[in-house]
Amino acid sequence: QVQLVESGGGLVRGGDSLKLSCAASGHTFSNYDMAWFRQAPGKEREFVAGISRSGTNTAYADSVKGRFTISRDNAKSTVYLQMNSLKPEDTAVYYCGSHTRWIQYVSRFDITYWGQGTQVTVSS
């Protein structure tokens, strides 16, 4: 079956960097567009960044633009999220998701498969 496994989360201080990874298995990774979402306590899951199946197109939420970079390695069936200049408001559980129709700001309702999430906590 399809599995998405996130890793790389942790506790960091404001201004630090983290790199999240999401390893996929059970489907042809290069046939799927990928996205990162996050969910803070008491809030809805929100779009963070997306990348098309070839890696040609990317999209970012305004709140992370210029600080976060999404990338993918189809040979490794892995998508990454490089997070720089982290802020306390970036604290959330981060999820990767795969979908089959490229939309610049994909909705969480259009995600086909989800990972289990990885916690990112940024202290002030």
Side-chain angles (χ1 to χ4, degrees):
Q1 73 273 22
V2 177
Q3 274 196 311
L4 301 177
V5 180
E6 299 97 334
S7 60
L11 171 62
V12 296
R13 293 182 176 180
D16 285 351
S17 298
L18 274 178
K19 187 173 185 177
L20 305 183
S21 299
C22 170
S25 62
H27 66 356
T28 304
F29 183 72
S30 58
N31 287 348
Y32 287 80
D33 305 306
M34 299 296 296
W36 286 95
F37 285 72
R38 66 187 182 188
Q39 188 166 17
K43 295 189 176 181
E44 291 186 346
R45 191 170 298 189
E46 64 174 5
F47 172 83
V48 174
I51 188 166
S52 60
R53 60 200 65 188
S54 67
T56 301
N57 299 306
T58 58
Y60 298 92
D62 288 343
S63 59
V64 306
K65 203 170 292 184
R67 300 187 298 123
F68 291 11
T69 303
I70 189 171
S71 62
R72 66 190 293 162
D73 185 338
N74 285 348
K76 295 182 178 180
S77 298
T78 302
V79 62
Y80 305 97
L81 186 67
Q82 176 67 48
M83 305 186 295
N84 299 330
S85 303
L86 282 161
K87 305 175 181 180
E89 50 265 43
D90 295 318
T91 295
V93 178
Y94 283 71
Y95 299 89
C96 69
S98 61
H99 58 109
T100 56
R101 187 168 68 97
W102 170 250
I103 305 170
Q104 195 174 19
Y105 303 108
V106 62
S107 163
R108 65 186 187 273
F109 301 110
D110 290 322
I111 297 297
T112 306
Y113 300 107
W114 288 104
Q116 84 289 347
T118 185
Q119 176 71 47
V120 172
T121 304
V122 184
S123 64
S124 55

